[in-house]
Amino acid sequence: ATAPIDLGMNQIYYPNPVDNELNIIVENATEQNVSLKIHRMDGQLVKTYVQPFKDNTITLKNLGSLSGGMYVVVYTMNNTNYSFRFVKR
């Protein structure tokens, strides 16, 4: 397993690389539902999720259908945009 990656602002995601699920932890998450988008590195949108935090964690599931490679997750929380990259194995 790989170590969690701290995004700053008390945000962590793991694992990286990803097989089928990606966990995003945000301390003191206040948003009810968060819209998350996954893009390929060329900018093409490949998946969209809208889901709530559960115990400060969102788990993106069913990523197994993505081709291997690098992707970007983009989401907005408290009127601030966040993004990070992950590798799909």
Side-chain angles (χ1 to χ4, degrees):
T2 60
I5 297 174
D6 188 345
L7 299 173
M9 303 293 292
N10 298 316
Q11 299 175 68
I12 296 172
Y13 72 99
Y14 69 94
N16 195 20
V18 170
D19 288 316
N20 193 50
E21 293 185 357
L22 176 65
N23 298 292
I24 304 167
I25 301 171
V26 179
E27 289 184 21
N28 303 314
T30 58
E31 299 284 322
Q32 288 293 332
N33 285 304
V34 177
S35 174
L36 302 103
K37 297 177 181 177
I38 299 178
H39 299 267
R40 292 191 329 204
M41 292 305 293
D42 65 6
Q44 180 180 355
L45 178 66
V46 292
K47 282 192 178 281
T48 301
Y49 296 85
V50 176
Q51 59 191 79
F53 280 98
K54 181 176 181 180
D55 298 325
N56 294 330
T57 302
I58 288 180
T59 300
L60 304 181
K61 298 183 178 189
N62 302 316
L63 297 176
S65 63
L66 295 176
S67 301
M70 180 92 59
Y71 292 86
V72 177
V73 174
V74 178
Y75 65 100
T76 302
M77 194 171 60
N78 299 327
N79 297 316
T80 302
N81 293 322
Y82 298 94
S83 65
F84 62 90
R85 295 179 183 177
F86 73 91
V87 174
K88 168 62 176 74
R89 203 183 323 239

